[in-house]
Amino acid sequence: TDVVQNGILKLDLDFVRPARRPGPLRILHVARLDSVKRQDVTLRALRRLLDAGIDARVEFCGKGGDKPMFTAIADELGLQPHVDWLGVVPEADVHERMLTADALILPSDSEGTSIALLEAIALGLPCIVSDVGDSGRVMRAAPRWIIGRSDVDGATRALTDLARDPGTAFATAERVKMDVRARYGRQAMIEAYRAIYERATGR
């Protein structure tokens, strides 16, 4: 069976990230508010960052039936001043938030090939992911940003590294982009389809 990865046009484009604004570490979590997406891991990692003296805040993009559970965790941990619940965000706004964020985190228990992850990579954003679905394979050029399921320690460590050495983090994100572009860009998809049709037609 031949498998063709979906091509993401943004991977073939070069975006200029704006200069980082002063202020807290800006963490973006783009996923429906569902227990499988593990917003609780992000919240607990945020608490640890703050306890370590690292100013940070999280923006959650998405809606879902488990929002009350996550807001209760945020209340319990005293995090509401450091969290924005944005609900459903238009694609153009997500793009802008990815350009100005410092990190995307997707600590899910289950994923396929996350389009949000590929788009964040295309924009040169450091991405922390759990090793489920295709996420670990997508992020193979940055193994320290691949964490285990329910791995609050791993998420905290990766975010701490980003906060303390953003220059290295964004250089790593650029290496990830080049690696992913070669495998998931539009041209890679076209070549994969061409190979299938050439074998099928004997040409």
Side-chain angles (χ1 to χ4, degrees):
T1 301
D2 292 297
V3 176
V4 177
Q5 299 290 352
N6 286 332
I8 303 297
L9 177 59
K10 285 183 181 178
L11 283 168
D12 297 317
L13 305 176
D14 289 311
F15 296 93
V16 177
R17 295 190 63 82
R20 188 188 186 279
R21 295 174 296 175
L25 183 75
R26 289 179 289 276
I27 305 163
L28 193 61
H29 190 143
V30 181
R32 70 182 184 275
L33 299 177
D34 185 294
S35 59
V36 76
K37 297 301 182 181
R38 300 309 302 266
Q39 280 84 356
D40 59 305
V41 170
T42 301
L43 289 167
R44 296 186 191 285
L46 174 62
R47 180 69 267 171
R48 293 187 185 184
L49 291 176
L50 295 170
D51 290 343
I54 298 172
D55 191 12
R57 67 182 303 108
V58 175
E59 293 182 337
F60 290 106
C61 298
K63 68 175 185 177
D66 286 336
K67 182 180 179 181
M69 176 180 70
F70 295 128
T71 56
I73 292 172
D75 286 336
E76 175 191 345
L77 296 175
L79 291 175
Q80 289 295 6
H82 304 276
V83 174
D84 295 307
W85 306 97
L86 301 177
V88 176
V89 177
E91 183 178 352
D93 289 347
V94 172
H95 176 101
E96 291 304 313
R97 290 180 185 279
M98 285 182 174
L99 277 176
T100 57
D102 297 305
L104 176 79
I105 184 166
L106 297 174
S108 310
D109 281 343
S110 177
E111 284 285 356
T113 302
S114 169
I115 299 301
L117 173 60
L118 293 175
E119 292 191 341
I121 290 169
L123 297 175
L125 182 61
C127 299
I128 299 164
V129 301
S130 51
D131 194 6
V132 298
D134 281 344
S135 296
R137 182 165 57 184
V138 169
M139 291 296 299
R140 68 182 187 184
R144 283 183 60 82
W145 293 349
I146 303 169
I147 64 175
R149 292 185 183 184
S150 308
D151 189 2
V152 178
D153 289 341
T156 304
R157 182 194 67 245
L159 288 168
T160 299
D161 288 347
L162 292 177
R164 291 180 174 167
D165 191 356
T168 296
F170 281 96
T172 300
E174 193 62 24
R175 289 198 302 273
V176 170
K177 178 179 178 178
M178 294 301 101
D179 177 65
V180 173
R181 174 183 285 178
R183 296 181 290 135
Y184 293 88
R186 186 64 58 92
Q187 190 59 37
M189 181 182 70
I190 291 170
E191 293 300 330
Y193 276 119
R194 178 179 290 124
I196 291 171
Y197 283 116
E198 286 178 350
R199 286 198 300 273
T201 61
R203 297 170 61 184

